[in-house]
Structure formats: structure tokens, C-alpha cells
Amino acid sequence: MGGDREPDGSSKSDEEWERFLRESVEGTADAPKEPSARAREVAKRLRAEPDRPPEGWRSHTPAPPRRRTGWYVLGLLAAVLLLVVALAPGRILDLFAGDDPASPPQAAETTRPTQAPPTVAPQRPTADEPFRGSPAASWADGAAGITVPKARAVGWMNKAEVEQALARSRDFLVESNLDRGVLRGERPKKAITLLNPRQKDVQNLLKTAFRTPGEKSDPLLLFSRFQPAHTRLVGDIVKTRGLLTYRKGEHGALEVTADVTFVYPVTRADAVGNDAEIVRTIVRRELVMSWDDPAEVVTEPGTFSVVSYKYDMTNGGCGTPTGYLTPPFDKDPQSNKDTGPEMDPYDRSTPVGQDAPAGDECRRATRS
């Protein structure tokens, strides 16, 4: 009969059996335990694989290493991106540049700024976002961009009368430069009702300007108009920035000065699709209005006399006056592109008309 073995496979020695028998007689020994079948199996495996740790609930087998495919995928994506940039760089610029709404709306203008607005990353305007890529993206819409100061009594007018005159002054700017019908080339009837009908030079201008426009009788001197057959406005919004100021004028009149820039996004009348070319025509106007005392000047109640008017315009066309703003589209062979001295049409820190070219020479926008 084979001897008993320990869990590690070794046999009991004769000395150990002798000690067991002696202690058994004395009643102090425990008989050696027969190893279980599980213990014998584990001992056998350990002898066969001495370098492998025993398996159990605490054991862990590391997962096989992963193949490094991430770098190959990144390299492929980079190659595809470079190809797209080469074929359509404008689209990639639009994708990563984002949109101008990231810039918060500017506070209303209360005094003439001391410098031009900061440079904005150029972006291609679209039908949905025609102002992006320009400072006008953060300007107010329509009449909201024209700041009207608080009223106080001036000359022959009390505070309430001054307040009403300021409101009507802004109404004239709205009716002459923002009214949708006027922008589509219609006659500015509402604006004309605010002009003093007794002021002969202005009335003579109005009589000829819409029939036979010329350099000194051009409707554009006071009104913004586009020819529907040539140009179509993009969207329903015109961006504006500017303000009204006032003081006491001659004969105690209330003299109101308007200095406002209007930004019109337009496209060709026959343009279709999302890739249609969009041009921003920018007009900055300075108009001085005199609300005269009827006791001193021949006038009609509720109307003003024009003291002076001047404007700067870019992307509005050059050449012989037609009575309309005619934006220079790239795909229009008949466009009269601006060829005169450069100017920043968004810079409101300098007076209107400063260094204006002589004759019908146009000014080129350094940015639009």
C-alpha cells in the first residue's frame, strides 16, 4: 500500500507516523487528513506548470493588447480634410468660422465713436445670414439702430414739442431709407409729406429727381432705392447704426442732425438658390433738419426744412445717375464697379463726406 501524501504530493515520513501512534496512545494527536481530490488535482497541475499561478476567484487574466488602429483612422481623416480644403476652401472657412451671433449686440450709439469698429473675420454671406463677416452683424435692426436723445426745451419749442420733432425726424429716416416700398423703387410719399412744401429748392429737386435723375437732382441724395428689375433685397432686415443730435438753430429753430449708416444686403433680381451672390450696399447719411418757428419762417406745421444733406456710399454703383442704387455683382457684365479712393464704410469716427472724391467718382470699400 502506497504511503499518504501531503497536498504538495510528498509522502508522510516514518518519524511522523511514529509520533502519531505515540500521541494517539496519549490521546493528544489528530490523524493526518487524506487530501481531497481537488487538492490532488491542483498539486498535479502545479507540478506540470510551476510558473503559472493557480486559478481562483481572485485571479485575473489580462486582455490581449489592442491593435493601434486609431492613428491610421486619424491619418485618413486628415487626408480627406486636406482634399476638401483644396477643392472648396470657402466652404471649410464657413464651417469652422461659425457665425457672428457669437459677438454680443453693440450698445446704442450715443456719441460719434473715436475709432473704426474692430476687424471681423471675413465670412461668406448667405441668404439666412446676410450680415455675417461684417461689423453690421452686431448692429441693431431697422429703426432700433437710430438713437433718439432725451428731449429738453429748445428755442420756440417746449420739451414735449421737441420730443415730437425728434420722433418725426426719425420717421423721415425710416420712410426714406427703410420703407420696403421705397427700397423697391416706389416714390417715398410718406417721407415727402414731412418736407416743408414752401422750401423751393427741395421741391424743385423732387419734381425732376424721379423723372429725369441727374447729378444735382438724384433721388439718392435723400432716399435709398433699388431697381426691382436689377436688384432684390435679401431678407427683411436692414442693419443700422447712428444717432440724432439737436441744438438751437437760426431764428430759435430746433435744428436736428441725423448721422446714420444703413447696410442693405442684396442679390441679383434673377438669382436663385443658396449659392446666389450677395452684396452689401452701405450708405451713410448726414441730414440736417430745421424745425422752424412759423412766426419766423414760412413753413407748414409738422414739417421741416432741409439745411444740408450729404452721404457716403459703397457698393451702390458708379457712372451716370439712374435714380437707383446699382450694386456691382460679379456675374453682371453691366455692373459699374467702384473705382475711386478707398474707404471703410463701417468707420463712423470721421465726418460724412470727408475727402469725398470730386464729380461722379465712386469710393471703394476696404471691407463690406
Side-chain angles (χ1 to χ4, degrees):
M1 181 174 91
D4 292 331
R5 295 179 180 274
E6 294 291 343
D8 62 358
S10 61
S11 300
K12 292 286 185 180
S13 66
D14 292 339
E15 290 81 9
E16 289 178 300
W17 278 109
E18 256 185 297
R19 185 172 67 252
F20 165 71
L21 293 174
R22 183 173 59 253
E23 291 175 349
S24 296
V25 174
E26 298 174 355
T28 60
D30 294 326
K33 295 179 181 179
E34 177 68 15
S36 67
R38 170 66 176 165
R40 291 196 296 271
E41 181 64 22
V42 172
K44 181 179 178 180
R45 190 162 57 251
L46 288 175
R47 289 196 302 273
E49 300 176 21
D51 296 333
R52 179 176 175 178
E55 293 184 356
W57 68 277
R58 293 183 181 273
S59 64
H60 171 69
T61 302
R66 296 181 179 178
R67 299 182 62 186
R68 296 182 177 274
T69 59
W71 291 110
Y72 299 103
V73 175
L74 290 177
L76 178 60
L77 291 175
V80 172
L81 180 60
L82 289 174
L83 178 61
V84 175
V85 170
L87 295 177
R91 297 289 186 180
I92 294 299
L93 179 61
D94 292 347
L95 178 62
F96 289 99
D99 193 15
D100 295 326
S103 300
Q106 292 189 38
E109 188 173 286
T110 55
T111 59
R112 177 180 290 172
T114 58
Q115 59 186 3
T119 301
V120 178
Q123 300 178 58
R124 184 176 63 89
T126 67
D128 293 331
E129 301 166 28
F131 299 100
R132 70 174 186 166
S134 77
S138 60
W139 290 8
D141 301 347
I146 306 174
T147 303
V148 178
K150 292 182 179 181
R152 67 179 189 279
V154 172
W156 71 282
M157 287 186 171
N158 59 35
K159 179 180 177 180
E161 291 170 330
V162 170
E163 185 174 21
Q164 184 180 54
L166 291 173
R168 289 179 176 174
S169 297
R170 186 173 71 166
D171 288 345
F172 179 83
L173 296 173
V174 171
E175 299 296 343
S176 58
N177 296 278
L178 296 174
D179 180 83
R180 304 300 291 188
V182 174
L183 293 178
R184 289 192 296 264
E186 298 177 8
R187 188 178 180 89
K189 295 179 180 179
K190 292 182 180 180
I192 290 175
T193 61
L194 292 170
L195 297 172
N196 180 6
R198 306 295 182 91
Q199 190 177 6
K200 292 184 178 180
D201 56 343
V202 173
Q203 294 302 318
N204 288 337
L205 183 154
L206 295 176
K207 287 179 181 179
T208 59
F210 299 100
R211 295 197 309 267
T212 56
E215 182 179 341
K216 295 183 179 181
S217 59
D218 191 342
L220 298 182
L221 294 172
L222 291 172
F223 313 105
S224 294
R225 312 165 73 232
F226 295 92
Q227 191 173 25
H230 178 267
T231 307
R232 173 168 53 87
L233 287 162
V234 177
D236 299 324
I237 295 175
V238 174
K239 290 290 187 177
T240 59
R241 187 159 182 82
L243 71 162
L244 303 180
T245 56
Y246 64 93
R247 66 174 188 173
K248 182 178 179 180
E250 294 184 4
H251 308 292
L254 172 69
E255 188 175 282
V256 179
T257 298
D259 180 356
V260 182
T261 301
F262 304 86
V263 184
Y264 305 99
V266 293
T267 188
R268 292 175 55 181
D270 58 355
V272 294
N274 295 328
D275 293 329
E277 179 188 6
I278 296 176
V279 170
R280 288 184 283 253
T281 297
I282 306 168
V283 181
R284 180 184 175 193
R285 295 189 182 278
E286 181 186 286
L287 175 66
V288 181
M289 300 164 273
S290 180
W291 295 88
D292 299 311
D293 182 354
E296 298 288 340
V297 177
V298 179
T299 185
E300 291 291 332
T303 67
F304 66 86
S305 300
V306 176
V307 177
S308 64
Y309 50 80
K310 52 186 175 181
Y311 70 97
D312 286 327
M313 179 263 293
T314 55
N315 287 339
C318 298
T320 304
T322 64
Y324 300 101
L325 296 164
T326 54
F329 300 110
D330 290 339
K331 296 182 180 179
D332 188 348
Q334 297 181 347
S335 291
N336 293 314
K337 299 187 181 298
D338 300 341
T339 57
E342 290 186 343
M343 67 168 292
D344 181 354
Y346 298 102
D347 185 1
R348 296 181 42 77
S349 64
T350 59
V352 178
Q354 180 171 291
D355 301 325
D360 61 356
E361 191 175 21
C362 299
R363 308 183 75 175
R364 290 180 294 141
T366 58
R367 54 177 173 171
S368 63

